[in-house]
Amino acid sequence: MATNNVKIVAVEKPLPFHFSLAAGAIAGVTEILMMYPLDVVKTRFQLSVGNAQSSIVGSFKEIIKTEGPKALYRGILPPILVEAPKRAIKFGANEQYRTLYKEKFGLPDSKTLAVATGVSAGATEALVVVSFDLVKIRLQDKRNAGKYKNTMDCVSTIMREEGFRGFFKGLEATILRHALWNGGYFGVISGVRDALPEPETKEGLLLKNFVCGSIGGTVGTILNTPFDVVKTRVQSQAVGPFKYNWAFPALGMIIREEGAAALYKGFLPKVLRLGPGGGILLVVYDFVTSYMRKTSFEGLDSNNVQYPSGSL
């Protein structure tokens, strides 16, 4: 009697959105806590003129020597506070734009749709994160050491000296930064996913997502770093007259005064954060969602897990 060997793959229902959001936020905050010093170094590189910053290691040593180890975590509260709403917009807006473009414009599932939804979601995300990024930049700026007692003092000082509009300084550059990163990220991972073989195990899926996220994040970083540099320069200006205003004129000014290479200041610490940071995101997200399923849901171990995207 012949028998057919049939491989049964157990796939459970996706987690409810609020559980997925909570897991993404926990993973994101964990990544911030572990990798944030590289973000401080990135900001210092972007604000430097000429060759003031020699290396990542040298920058770490200088910060610790002159400002103390706590300076490596200066300004960490704003990105932690915005992490959950940022994740909600990243996930929710992507799905909403995907539905809109498919229904209204008839776009099929493709790389074009992935890029379009990524760009749109990134621009939407920028409206929420711009003010938190501005406060973070002000706190990270070495020139402001001792100026602000804490995050709330920074917020109140900005409100008092620059008004409510001051919190949206650099909005144009922030929109371009997030739109380019999300467009590049989601567009590339769509193609990389198609090119890689389908994994047969959960560990294989984890590795595939890690590879896709790292490649997509690197491309997104290549695309958006010039506007990240501009955003940092614009948002660091508290008192006029302002040298940097609109994004594209600022790009031209930086190229004329410092050369085109200056548009990629901070690229290395940003990429170094991306790889390990993406791995941390995936591992923590997997652990948290697995714990949620064991404690809150009845279900089978799934090979169909949607992992959060990497950080900017």
Side-chain angles (χ1 to χ4, degrees), residues 90-292:
K90 189 183 289 289
F91 296 149
N94 258 287
E95 288 305 312
Q96 292 299 317
Y97 282 119
R98 181 181 299 275
T99 301
L100 174 66
Y101 293 151
K102 290 178 73 172
E103 292 181 353
K104 298 295 183 181
F105 302 104
L107 289 179
D109 285 316
S110 62
K111 296 180 183 65
T112 301
L113 179 62
V115 171
T117 55
V119 169
S120 301
T124 305
E125 180 185 32
L127 299 175
V128 174
V129 305
V130 59
S131 300
F132 292 87
D133 262 9
L134 183 138
V135 174
K136 183 196 74 169
I137 294 299
R138 296 291 177 85
L139 290 167
Q140 288 179 337
D141 192 345
K142 182 180 180 179
R143 295 169 299 182
N144 294 332
K147 180 177 180 179
Y148 308 114
K149 298 177 183 177
N150 49 46
T151 300
M152 290 310 300
D153 182 51
C154 181
V155 171
S156 61
T157 300
I158 294 171
M159 176 64 78
R160 183 176 64 253
E161 295 181 352
E162 303 169 58
F164 182 74
R165 292 179 60 185
F167 290 103
F168 291 89
K169 190 174 294 179
L171 176 60
E172 178 207 17
T174 304
I175 289 174
L176 291 168
R177 170 185 183 250
H178 282 258
L180 287 171
W181 196 92
N182 281 273
Y185 178 87
F186 288 108
V188 169
I189 63 172
S190 174
V192 175
R193 281 185 193 278
D194 293 341
L196 294 177
E198 285 299 320
E200 297 183 357
T201 65
K202 189 174 182 179
E203 290 74 19
L205 179 64
L206 184 68
L207 178 61
K208 180 176 179 178
N209 275 281
F210 180 81
V211 171
C212 291
S214 296
I215 295 174
T218 300
V219 173
T221 301
I222 292 172
L223 293 174
N224 89 332
T225 295
F227 291 101
D228 193 20
V229 173
V230 169
K231 181 194 75 71
T232 299
R233 300 276 181 103
V234 172
Q235 291 185 329
S236 69
Q237 302 171 129
V239 181
F242 301 128
K243 181 176 181 179
Y244 306 104
N245 291 290
W246 298 105
F248 287 100
L251 286 176
M253 183 180 297
I254 292 172
I255 291 173
R256 288 194 305 273
E257 295 182 352
E258 304 171 55
L263 296 178
Y264 280 88
K265 285 187 174 182
F267 179 80
L268 185 56
K270 194 172 182 179
V271 169
L272 288 176
R273 178 184 178 181
L274 173 72
I280 292 167
L281 276 168
L282 294 177
V283 171
V284 175
Y285 187 83
D286 181 61
F287 175 81
V288 174
T289 52
S290 297
Y291 178 79
M292 287 177 172

Side-chain angles (χ1 to χ4, degrees), residues 6-22:
V6 179
K7 181 180 180 181
I8 300 175
V9 179
V11 179
E12 60 186 5
K13 293 180 180 179
L15 282 171
F17 177 75
H18 61 284
F19 280 94
S20 179
L21 171 61

